[in-house]
Amino acid sequence: MSDLVGYETEGRVAILPIDNPPVNALGIGVREGIMAQVDRAAADDSVEAIVLIGLGRTFPAGADIREFDQPTLEPHLIAIVDHLDTIEKPIVAAIHGTALGGGLELALGCHFRVAVPSARMGTPEVNLGIFPGAAGTQRLPRVAGLDHALELIVLGKPVGAATALEYGIVDDLIEGDLRAGAVAFAEKIIADGTPRRISSEPRTGIGSPEDHAETIEKYRELANRRMRGQDSPHQAIDSVVDGMTMSYPDAVQADRKRFELCKNSDQSQALRYAFFAEREASKIPDIGKEIAPREIASTGVIGAGTMGRGIVASLADSGLPVTVVETSQEALDNGMTEIVKLYDGMVQRGRIDAAEKDERLARITGAVGFEALSNTDLVIEAAFEDLDVKKQIFGDLDKVAKPGAILATNTSYMDIDAIAAATSRPEDVIGLHYFVPANAMRLLEVVRPAKAAPDAIATGMALAKKTGKIGVLARVCHGFIANRSRLPMVREATFLVEEGASPAQVDAVLTGLGMPMGPLAVSDLSGLDVSWRMRQSLADQHDPAHRYMHLADRMCELGRFGIKAGKGWYSYEDGGRRPVPDPETEAIAIEVAKEQGTPRRDISDDEIRERCLYAAINEGAKILDEGIAARASDIDIMWLYGFAYPRWRGGIMFTADEIGLPEIDQRVREFHAEHGKLWEPSPLLTRLAKEGGAFTR
Ligand code: CAA
């Protein structure tokens, strides 16, 4: 028998501790163990109640996701949950850490649930492309009511123990030692003769979908809005609705088929891949856990522009003191005013209260001049994107920063090796590339210059974690991983407009893939002048054999900078943000095409999809081949968190594997022949296509 579930007794109570680190996932060994030990307790005459508890950091955090690719071995979790209904002795789930997915379903199978106040519980299965298939969709509505159950099941966000108590999911909160509290709770149940609560009762359906039409519709809409294109939230709702009209056993039966379909779907495969890719990203092949990050107790930010302010807020939001430095009192005052506005906005939207705003603002100090940074553990430069300006800043910073301070640049594409060389301590210089708005976007691209010390890199990754971000490592090259792999998509989008597609057609194809906005609408939002300035600064490095983005330049020359100018690829009426197709854009495209000798034609949606997506994939393959990214999944995480690529497609490299590399290689070669050097095929793509290999498997 499995030894992952123990058997101990305290008086009349049997305690079954689950011991399967790190998260007590309900793999086959744990399932076998629970079944056997529950039966042993049921047969033990000295036992009158049972406590199920997790050892280590948590109650089971769900099924073992790694087992999903293999046939599920018996006993299935649903069999255990249903079996608990038949045990005559009261069973108490004692919850700490996170009771998630199958973990919460197991707890729902127990007759009572107690939790420590810090515990969190929920059903995050939709995030893996499945739904709570061990009767969670049937039992949770019976326990918590339809609205709360749908909230947990459809949105997939865990709730804290206090909310769980309010929802009726837990019966009591235990202050102090959980095990002792749970045993005392069980003793009281025995003493009071409290009848067991069976969460599969009533066994009949629990209401009519018509009576609850409004609530059901509310969650359908929320699912459409928050998880656009994703099937599992709707499957989850269908399952809950089944439970209204069917008896419990029939609904569970229907769930089995639906669950298998979901589990085997492409979306679930992609979402499970993304789950592990995200965790993998934090592991740096040559920097093990033995390399401790440097201690960061104080931080500084140079520059209070849009990016600098977002970084300041991100640091202050995580409890870190920040000194923000500007070159003049006026610039500093402007920056500080905008930071206050940012927090006022959060209070208005109900994100934080006034007291929290004051606390966060109290962590922010403004100063003019670098001397204020002389005692700071980590400084992030967020100045203008100009290499000479940045070298000057790092040279000056080098003179005042304390020994061992991390000196980071937020550049989004520049040569950080050159910036590091402007200091006497290149080992302390790293890149921390934030995305706008830096306080909200979860991606942090940690860039590793050639001379950076391992513990400086470890510190960058630790900072990401501390500030609630996903840190992904990149080596130095123009644009690093994120911007370098996205540029070809934007480039092709603009070429396609020059060749005859409308911006709306191009964007519609990409939103059709599940991205919330197309690349041209995004350019309008972030400002076309940003990449225009970059092209200007790199003009002397332009390879004449590379096709140039003349149309994008012309848009800027005509002042069409995007939303802020009221016009860009689209026009924006009355200061609004809704893109309206603009015939002037077509006229400009026709003019530029004529000047460049570009033939205009009807362009198919397939061509748009292939050119935008395959250009990015081909670049991703080069980034991987050159070692700029440690693994293909790191590129994917950049796309999921940096560019809102649909998680249920895994990322561009995962999508490439799904499509098949021979197909992509073939099309890249055809585009190369047709459109020239920018389409030079990645040698890695070609090799893997020939060998039958893949990027992500
Ligand atoms: N199955 C397998 N491995 C898991 C796992 C699971 N359910 N949950 C976490 N792990 C692994 C992680 O991959 C990671 O492994 P490595 O150290 O090798 O990278 C390790 O456990 C620790 O995880 P985290 O780094 O994520 O630790 P954390 O403390 O930041 O977060 C957590 C802990 C909140 C539990 C988080 O891991 C999490 O959200 N896990 C997934 C929870 C989930 O989705 N549960 C539902 C599963 S599906 C299900 O249960 C369906 C069903 O009913 C049949």
Side-chain angles (χ1 to χ4, degrees):
M1 189 186 71
S2 147
D3 56 1
L4 300 181
V5 182
Y7 190 90
E8 295 157 19
T9 51
E10 275 187 36
R12 297 177 288 177
V13 180
I15 298 141
L16 315 186
I18 302 171
D19 186 13
N20 187 27
V23 298
N24 286 322
L26 296 159
I28 178 63
V30 174
R31 297 199 302 275
E32 280 173 350
I34 294 173
M35 202 63 148
Q37 301 294 33
V38 164
D39 282 345
R40 177 172 164 193
D44 186 337
D45 288 340
S46 69
V47 164
E48 291 180 45
I50 304 163
V51 168
L52 204 54
I53 192 167
L55 291 186
R57 60 203 250 202
T58 186
F59 196 77
D64 188 336
I65 305 168
R66 290 177 207 275
E67 284 183 358
F68 279 21
D69 291 323
Q70 299 135 28
T72 322
L73 300 175
E74 293 187 9
H76 294 180
L77 186 59
I78 178 65
I80 299 173
V81 171
D82 280 349
H83 184 60
L84 300 185
D85 283 351
T86 67
I87 304 293
E88 299 290 339
K89 299 175 184 175
I91 309 175
V92 180
I95 301 172
H96 75 300
T98 42
L100 297 175
L104 183 60
E105 290 172 304
L106 176 68
L108 287 169
C110 296
H111 311 135
F112 301 94
R113 290 160 290 282
V114 297
V116 293
S118 60
R120 297 184 63 73
M121 50 212 85
T123 45
E125 284 93 333
V126 287
N127 302 321
L128 297 168
I130 51 173
F131 63 92
T137 46
Q138 308 310 325
R139 289 174 185 255
L140 207 47
R142 284 168 165 85
V143 167
L146 185 70
D147 202 333
H148 294 325
L150 282 173
E151 177 197 326
L152 262 75
I153 292 168
V154 178
L155 306 184
K157 287 220 163 62
V159 293
T163 307
L165 182 70
E166 185 194 318
Y167 288 5
I169 297 170
V170 296
D171 301 290
D172 205 0
L173 297 188
I174 305 283
E175 303 282 350
D177 184 65
L178 175 64
R179 176 175 160 140
V183 170
F185 183 93
E187 286 285 3
K188 187 159 183 335
I189 296 281
I190 301 168
D192 295 350
T194 313
R196 295 169 310 136
R197 298 199 194 123
I198 308 288
S199 62
S200 64
E201 290 175 354
R203 303 288 285 181
T204 53
I206 51 160
S208 105
E210 289 73 32
D211 289 348
H212 297 286
E214 216 174 290
T215 310
I216 295 167
E217 191 47 36
K218 176 174 97 180
Y219 285 100
R220 291 246 184 243
E221 272 174 28
L222 276 171
N224 286 336
R225 230 185 20 245
R226 298 200 191 166
M227 284 166 272
R228 201 164 164 266
Q230 206 177 304
D231 290 336
S232 53
H234 293 284
Q235 298 286 351
I237 296 174
D238 289 348
S239 161
V240 171
V241 170
D242 271 358
M244 300 178 121
T245 53
M246 293 182 187
S247 69
Y248 173 81
D250 287 350
V252 166
Q253 196 60 34
D255 274 354
R256 288 313 310 154
K257 285 193 200 123
R258 184 179 283 121
F259 185 84
E260 283 305 309
L261 281 177
C262 281
K263 194 178 86 169
N264 297 326
S265 68
D266 291 346
Q267 290 199 351
S268 180
Q269 302 274 0
L271 287 160
R272 275 141 49 195
Y273 160 79
F275 175 85
F276 288 113
E278 195 174 315
R279 277 144 188 89
E280 204 59 23
S282 65
K283 295 167 193 155
I284 306 167
D286 64 326
I287 302 181
K289 286 207 172 111
E290 70 285 358
I291 306 280
R294 298 184 198 174
E295 199 191 326
I296 302 298
S298 57
T299 64
V301 174
I302 299 174
T306 309
M307 192 49 117
R309 295 195 298 267
I311 299 173
V312 168
S314 155
L315 297 166
D317 291 354
S318 319
L320 287 163
V322 201
T323 304
V324 52
V325 166
E326 260 295 355
T327 45
S328 71
Q329 192 61 45
E330 194 192 348
L332 181 64
D333 291 344
N334 286 341
M336 293 300 266
T337 306
E338 292 298 323
I339 290 173
V340 174
K341 273 196 210 160
L342 191 149
Y343 282 114
D344 284 340
M346 285 193 207
V347 174
Q348 267 162 22
R349 288 194 301 277
R351 295 263 176 87
I352 53 171
D353 59 20
E356 181 63 37
K357 173 187 123 177
D358 291 344
E359 263 181 45
R360 294 185 190 189
L361 280 172
R363 292 185 198 120
I364 304 170
T365 316
V368 175
F370 289 172
E371 282 69 27
L373 300 172
S374 61
N375 208 19
T376 306
D377 296 327
L378 170 128
V379 181
I380 304 171
E381 165 275 320
F384 196 64
E385 287 281 41
D386 179 302
L387 191 58
D388 290 333
V389 169
K390 290 192 191 278
K391 282 187 187 166
Q392 177 75 45
I393 290 176
F394 274 75
D396 292 347
L397 199 53
D398 188 22
K399 296 189 191 103
V400 296
K402 70 177 187 184
I406 301 282
L407 310 182
T409 170
N410 171 58
T411 181
S412 56
Y413 62 91
M414 289 191 173
D415 180 354
I416 307 183
D417 288 322
I419 296 173
T423 71
S424 63
R425 41 174 134 177
E427 67 280 7
D428 295 337
V429 177
I430 63 170
L432 290 176
H433 174 211
Y434 285 81
F435 292 73
V436 182
N439 53 323
M441 292 287 285
R442 290 202 55 211
L443 180 61
L444 180 60
E445 189 168 26
V446 179
V447 190
R448 181 177 191 173
K451 294 193 176 158
D455 69 342
I457 294 302
T459 310
M461 298 298 281
L463 182 80
K465 195 157 190 189
K466 160 112 186 118
T467 53
K469 299 196 185 296
I470 313 284
V472 187
L473 193 71
R475 293 263 184 191
V476 176
C477 68
H478 180 82
F480 319 128
I481 298 177
N483 285 342
R484 179 174 161 191
S485 61
R486 183 169 177 274
L487 179 66
M489 175 177 277
V490 181
R491 179 193 84 202
E492 289 306 308
T494 68
F495 290 161
L496 284 157
V497 174
E498 189 181 316
E499 290 166 37
S502 71
Q505 187 195 359
V506 172
D507 281 348
V509 169
L510 290 153
T511 53
L513 289 179
M515 300 179 81
M517 286 171 87
L520 297 171
V522 171
S523 292
D524 274 2
L525 183 67
S526 50
L528 272 69
D529 50 324
V530 179
S531 44
W532 188 35
R533 269 203 310 273
M534 186 181 83
R535 286 194 296 280
Q536 283 171 335
S537 74
L538 297 170
D540 55 338
Q541 293 167 37
H542 177 66
D543 178 346
H546 282 176
R547 185 174 170 186
Y548 185 74
M549 291 165 71
H550 293 285
L551 176 57
D553 273 14
R554 180 66 51 83
M555 301 288 278
C556 292
E557 285 152 16
L558 294 168
R560 301 186 70 102
F561 292 141
I563 293 180
K564 61 187 168 193
K567 55 187 179 176
W569 295 107
Y570 301 87
S571 62
Y572 299 85
E573 283 155 13
D574 305 326
R577 296 164 76 89
R578 198 174 65 83
V580 179
D582 186 346
E584 252 187 59
T585 300
E586 191 186 0
I588 299 165
I590 291 172
E591 194 180 284
V592 171
K594 201 164 155 203
E595 287 166 17
Q596 299 304 322
T598 306
R600 302 253 311 163
R601 62 200 164 89
D602 281 343
I603 295 176
S604 72
D605 287 357
D606 277 347
E607 179 175 345
I608 293 173
R609 183 179 48 79
E610 289 174 352
R611 277 178 58 186
C612 289
L613 191 57
Y614 295 3
I617 291 169
N618 192 38
E619 197 66 37
K622 291 177 189 174
I623 287 170
L624 189 59
D625 210 8
E626 291 166 23
I628 302 297
R631 35 181 111 77
S633 58
D634 286 359
I635 304 173
D636 283 340
I637 292 299
M638 298 264 188
W639 277 74
L640 299 186
Y641 284 100
F643 309 132
Y645 192 81
R647 197 173 170 93
W648 48 267
R649 286 194 193 276
I652 56 167
M653 306 307 275
F654 186 83
T655 301
D657 288 339
E658 292 292 286
I659 294 170
L661 300 192
E663 154 77 13
I664 294 176
D665 184 53
Q666 165 76 18
R667 293 298 283 145
V668 166
R669 286 169 183 287
E670 286 163 13
F671 291 137
H672 185 216
E674 209 175 325
H675 299 287
K677 203 172 168 191
L678 280 173
W679 277 95
E680 202 147 3
S682 144
L684 177 68
L685 169 64
T686 303
R687 180 167 61 73
L688 290 176
K690 273 204 192 107
E691 289 171 355
F695 294 130
T696 62
R697 291 171 210 137

